[in-house]
Amino acid sequence: MLPRTEETLTIHPVRPRKDSWSDALSICIGCVLMLCVYGYQFGRSNHGVYLLDGMHKADPTLFSNDWFTTGTFQYHAIFGWVTATLFKLNLIQPAFLIGYLGIVFLMQLGWFKLVMQLGGDRRTYLVAV
């Protein structure tokens, strides 16, 4: 029989091995599922309202007599300048798609980490998605 020492009484919990490839695959599946359910549409919903300022800044002759574009306070000024630049470079649609995909990924990553922090696993995350 071994003598009882400090070392023999210490119990280290067995933690499952972290499998980052499975985590990444789970997050990718979550992203695909979200894109299948919600999709992506450029210029729909409130895009039309928010893009007007950028379109006017990119081409001042466009909407020059429109009261909403010229006579109201545009409270998303930085967004207007960014979209104007993207319109001038003809990159507005690809940039918005890349931004949307980035937001979808970050949302799914956050969701995954939240499920893990609450004691769930990959299956729990995928069922929640």
Side-chain angles (χ1 to χ4, degrees):
M1 191 152 165
L2 292 173
R4 291 189 170 227
T5 64
E6 188 82 25
E7 289 180 42
T8 58
L9 294 177
T10 306
I11 299 173
H12 298 285
V14 178
R15 295 185 183 205
R17 185 174 64 90
K18 180 121 172 114
D19 187 5
S20 56
W21 285 108
S22 295
D23 293 349
L25 181 62
S26 297
I27 294 169
C28 286
I29 291 170
C31 290
V32 169
L33 286 172
M34 185 174 176
L35 289 170
C36 287
V37 171
Y38 293 104
Y40 172 72
Q41 298 175 354
F42 176 79
R44 299 270 179 126
S45 185
N46 62 353
H47 273 192
V49 173
Y50 293 120
L51 291 175
L52 291 176
D53 185 46
M55 292 169 73
H56 178 69
K57 285 179 179 161
D59 182 5
T61 61
L62 190 63
F63 305 120
S64 61
N65 295 325
D66 181 55
W67 167 81
F68 181 75
T69 307
T70 59
T72 61
F73 179 68
Q74 300 296 325
Y75 51 91
H76 294 296
I78 294 174
F79 181 81
W81 288 109
V82 169
T83 55
T85 303
L86 291 172
F87 271 119
K88 288 177 185 175
L89 297 173
N90 202 22
L91 293 175
I92 190 78
Q93 290 180 341
F96 271 55
L97 176 62
I98 290 168
Y100 183 75
L101 293 175
I103 289 170
V104 166
F105 173 75
L106 290 174
M107 182 192 153
Q108 293 301 321
L109 178 65
W111 194 344
F112 180 81
K113 288 186 177 278
L114 180 65
V115 168
M116 295 301 140
Q117 287 291 321
L118 294 174
D121 59 3
R122 291 179 207 99
R123 285 178 291 195
T124 309
Y125 161 74
L126 289 172
V127 168
V129 170

